[in-house]
Each structure stands twice: as structure tokens, then as C-alpha cells.
């Protein structure tokens, strides 16, 4: 193994918000605020889960500017440059309210306790599974079961492989410190994608016949693949559009309510190409790729499956929460 391999830092704040009183943080509608960047794949998981489960009324959301400065995530998209609920200009203020001595990275997603202004958790794997399990009493009528108990062992196993070689694999390639580390990540990434293509060739979803946590975790990497990972992170063996099974699978999910209305290709592109100046020192943002292919028929209904199981699709997102559509971005030249 190369000594210059990219290693993701562990999440320092891993408190749980629980329904049974087993943690200091109880499930309480209206008490917490989910802070995200629409550019970030880890945060996008939480946005999709929140939408599918109908938790918008229970957990508010704040969206950070996709362009960070030296103090990291900032709220310059909001009036006066402050989050309107928390009253802070930078997410690090919530981190330091929880631990004044904290000197690590500032990451999203982050759940903040509104009354105290303290960060509760930035543990992205647990955030989404807890939204499915601990917040069940707050789910909308007809919410799908994204983490069904009888499939959890299989979902967790798929998630481990997808995280190692795909979700984190693209970062291991993009931030590799030498050729050996990059080549290892590159080959493991495409070997895993090939295996996922084989798995999905005859089934609509990764585990079972409904959308689960596993599909959401894979989707947030796939939707960014051609826009940023293929070129920016040198994951250029094939584009997503050149992998027929995964391309159809990703379009199927994108066109499902609760997915496309959380995806902001403008934020995604501007963040990666403008923030990672060690990789892209000119900060030039590519004009492409052509996004309209995401709206074309995918044909995967023929495989059967029930996207929401016995549940129903989510309704429209709350006012002001929907990401810009592909039609809007295309019209604006983005």
C-alpha cells in the first residue's frame, strides 16, 4: 500500500438522536436543523432520505454555499450571510459550541441542536439510518422502509463494499499522492462498478425489490460521476453514460420523486472545480456535460420492483427547497 494514499478522517461527533431516551439527544420535531451542501455526496444522502420519509416538517434544513473559504462551510446564500434559524455565519460556530477546543475538519451533513446552537452529529452513515429507524414516528403516511430489518445485514454488506471502492474510491483516486495510490483506487473503483453492473442487470434495486439505503448511497456518487469524478478525479476508464446498466439504473433513481429535486448540478460542479485548487488551480468550471440525458427513458420498469414498497411517493418539496431542474440549468447556460 502506498504511503500517499488518501485516508478519510473519522467523524469526531457521533452522538445519536434516539427515540427511546438512550442518548442525551431525544427525537423531537422542530428541535434540530440539518445543515447540508448540495454539492456534497455525503450530505445529499441525508437530503434524499429526509425527502423520501417526509421529514421536512420535523427537521429543517440549511444549505451552505458550495464555495468554501478558509473557514469552510458558510451561509452566504442566506440574507445577511447568516443561517436564518441558527443565526450563524459559518458552520464551524456550531462545531465550536459543542467543543471549543475542536481543531479538526468541518464537514456536512451536520445536525445542530437549535436551542443550544451545538453540533450534535456529523456522522453521515448513522444520520441516514437513524432518520429511517429512530424518527419513524415522524415519518409521513406512506413513507417507504429504506432500512428494512430483514434486509439490514445484506444492505450493510453492500454498503461496505460501495463505500470502500466507490463512494470513497473516487476520492482515493482524486486525492492520491502518487501513481501507485491512484492506480490502486482506480482499478478497485471500476472492478466494483463492473460487479454492481452485473448485480443490477437482472434486478431493479441493489437489495430486495424496493429502494433502500443501499441505492441512495450509490446514487449520490453515480449522479456526480460524469460531471466531476470522471475528469476532475481522473476516474476516466469509462463515463457513467458508457456503462449501460448503471446509467439506466441512475436515471431510474434520478427520475424518482425525492431524488432529482435534491440534485443541484450547478452546486456540484462549482464546488469541486473551484474549491479543490490543488487539483484545478485555474478554478475553471467545465461547461459540460450535457445533462439532458438524465431525463431520457431508462426502461428499468420492465425489471419489476416497487420503488416505495407498500408506500407512496413523496409530495412536492417545501417552497424554496427544490434544487434547480435540468431544464432551468440548461436555459441558464449551466
Amino acid at each position: 500500500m502506498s504511503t500517499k494514499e488518501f485516508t478519510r478522517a473519522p467523524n469526531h461527533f457521533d452522538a445519536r438522536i434516539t427515540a427511546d431516551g438512550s442518548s442525551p439527544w431525544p427525537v423531537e420535531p422542530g428541535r434540530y436543523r440539518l445543515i447540508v451542501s448540495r454539492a456534497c455526496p455525503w450530505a445529499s444522502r441525508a437530503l434524499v432520505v429526509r425527502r423520501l420519509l417526509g421529514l421536512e416538517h420535523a427537521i429543517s434544513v440549511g444549505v451552505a454555499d458550495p464555495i468554501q473559504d478558509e473557514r469552510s462551510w458558510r451561509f452566504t446564500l442566506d440574507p445577511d450571510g447568516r443561517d436564518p434559524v441558527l443565526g450563524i455565519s459559518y458552520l464551524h460556530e456550531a462545531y465550536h459550541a459543542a467543543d471549543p477546543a475542536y481543531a479538526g475538519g468541518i464537514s456536512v451533513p451536520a445536525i445542530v441542536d437549535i436551542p443550544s446552537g451545538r453540533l450534535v452529529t456529523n456522522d453521515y452513515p448513522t444520520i441516514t439510518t437513524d432518520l429511517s429507524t429512530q424518527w419513524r414516528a415522524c415519518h409521513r403516511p406512506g413513507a417507504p422502509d429504506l432500512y428494512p430489518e430483514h434486509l439490514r445485514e445484506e444492505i450493510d454488506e453492500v454498503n461496505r463494499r460501495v463505500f470502500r471502492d466507490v463512494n470513497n474510491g473516487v476520492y482515493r483516486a482524486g486525492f492520491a499522492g502518487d501513481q501507485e495510490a491512484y492506480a490502486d483506487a482506480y482499478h478497485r473503483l471500476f472492478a466494483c462498478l463492473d460487479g454492481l453492473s452485473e448485480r443490477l442487470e437482472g434486478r431493479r434495486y441493489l437489495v430486495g425489490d424496493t429502494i433502500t439505503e443501499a441505492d441512495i448511497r450509490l446514487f449520490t456518487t453515480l449522479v456526480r460521476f460524469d460531471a466531476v469524478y470522471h475528469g476532475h478525479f481522473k476516474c476516466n476508464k469509462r463515463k457513467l453514460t458508457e456503462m449501460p446498466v448503471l446509467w439506466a439504473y441512475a436515471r431510474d433513481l434520478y427520475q424518482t420523486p425525492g431524488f432529482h429535486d435534491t440534485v443541484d448540478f450547478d452546486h456540484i460542479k462549482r464546488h469541486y472545480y473551484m474549491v479543490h485548487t490543488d487539483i484545478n488551480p485555474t478554478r475553471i468550471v467545465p461547461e459540460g456535460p450535457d445533462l439532458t440525458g438524465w431525463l431520457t427513458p431508462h426502461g428499468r420498469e420492465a425489471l419489476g420492483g416497487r420503488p416505495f414498497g407498500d408506500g407512496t411517493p413523496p409530495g412536492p418539496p417545501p417552497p424554496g427547497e427544490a434544487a434547480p431542474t435540468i431544464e432551468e440549468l440548461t436555459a441558464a447556460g449551466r
Side-chain angles (χ1 to χ4, degrees):
M1 179 182 295
S2 169
T3 58
K4 294 188 176 182
E5 179 178 321
F6 168 74
T7 302
R8 185 168 297 280
N11 297 309
H12 181 77
F13 298 90
D14 58 359
R16 302 278 300 281
I17 300 172
T18 58
D20 62 4
S22 60
S23 81
W25 305 103
V27 168
E28 185 178 324
R31 177 170 176 174
Y32 305 100
R33 187 157 174 84
L34 172 65
I35 303 301
V36 301
S37 165
R38 287 185 178 141
C40 171
W42 320 102
S44 292
R45 297 175 177 183
L47 283 176
V48 174
V49 170
R50 175 177 172 269
R51 282 280 295 122
L52 294 178
L53 299 179
L55 287 170
E56 295 97 330
H57 70 287
I59 307 173
S60 65
V61 71
V63 179
D65 193 310
I67 310 303
Q68 300 156 285
D69 67 13
E70 67 279 0
R71 288 171 287 184
S72 195
W73 300 108
R74 52 188 183 162
F75 296 103
T76 47
L77 301 180
D78 295 304
D80 302 320
R82 291 184 176 274
D83 180 88
V85 173
L86 299 174
I88 58 177
S89 298
Y90 287 86
L91 181 56
H92 75 72
E93 296 172 58
Y95 275 68
H96 293 138
D99 180 358
Y102 178 69
I106 309 298
S107 65
V108 289
I111 294 183
V112 179
D113 176 52
I114 295 172
S116 67
R118 294 173 57 191
L119 176 72
V120 176
T121 178
N122 69 344
D123 192 43
Y124 56 85
T126 305
I127 285 174
T128 51
T129 54
D130 280 353
L131 291 179
S132 289
T133 57
Q134 302 299 319
W135 288 82
R136 193 176 295 275
C138 302
H139 292 181
R140 65 178 175 86
D145 189 350
L146 301 175
Y147 196 47
E149 193 163 358
H150 69 289
L151 294 175
R152 287 180 190 175
E153 185 175 349
E154 185 177 1
I155 291 171
D156 291 346
E157 175 57 28
V158 170
N159 285 345
R160 277 190 289 270
R161 288 188 285 115
V162 168
F163 171 80
R164 182 190 64 206
D165 294 332
V166 180
N167 300 146
N168 198 48
V170 293
Y171 284 85
R172 289 180 60 241
F175 292 128
D178 63 19
Q179 192 70 35
E180 180 186 357
Y182 162 72
D184 178 69
Y186 174 95
H187 291 296
R188 290 175 63 168
L189 165 66
F190 282 97
C192 190
L193 290 176
D194 288 343
L196 292 167
S197 291
E198 292 178 10
R199 182 183 183 97
L200 289 163
E201 190 168 8
R203 59 192 299 167
R204 193 168 179 186
Y205 303 111
L206 281 170
V207 182
D209 67 347
T210 65
I211 292 169
T212 68
E213 179 84 14
D215 299 294
I216 295 164
R217 294 188 183 200
L218 178 56
F219 171 79
T220 58
T221 295
L222 294 182
V223 80
R224 289 162 172 75
F225 201 87
D226 287 5
V228 290
Y229 300 144
H230 178 270
H232 186 58
F233 278 178
K234 306 179 185 69
C235 299
N236 61 353
K237 184 176 183 179
R238 289 185 298 272
K239 295 178 181 178
L240 177 63
T241 54
E242 297 166 346
M243 295 181 267
V245 172
L246 290 179
W247 175 223
Y249 166 79
R251 298 201 315 277
D252 187 5
L253 292 176
Y254 180 84
Q255 294 171 28
T256 299
F259 284 81
H260 59 81
D261 44 44
T262 68
V263 176
D264 191 327
F265 285 105
D266 175 54
H267 279 207
I268 290 167
K269 288 168 54 176
R270 287 196 291 124
H271 169 75
Y272 281 89
Y273 286 103
M274 295 182 71
V275 171
H276 300 157
T277 53
D278 51 339
I279 299 175
N280 185 40
T282 65
R283 305 182 81 205
I284 293 172
V285 180
E287 292 289 313
D290 181 359
L291 300 175
T292 56
W294 284 98
L295 307 178
T296 60
H298 50 77
R300 287 184 62 85
E301 305 94 335
L303 296 173
R306 303 171 300 146
F308 304 102
D310 295 328
T312 57
E321 285 198 12
T325 66
I326 284 175
E327 294 90 344
E328 291 169 338
L329 291 175
T330 302
R334 296 181 181 177

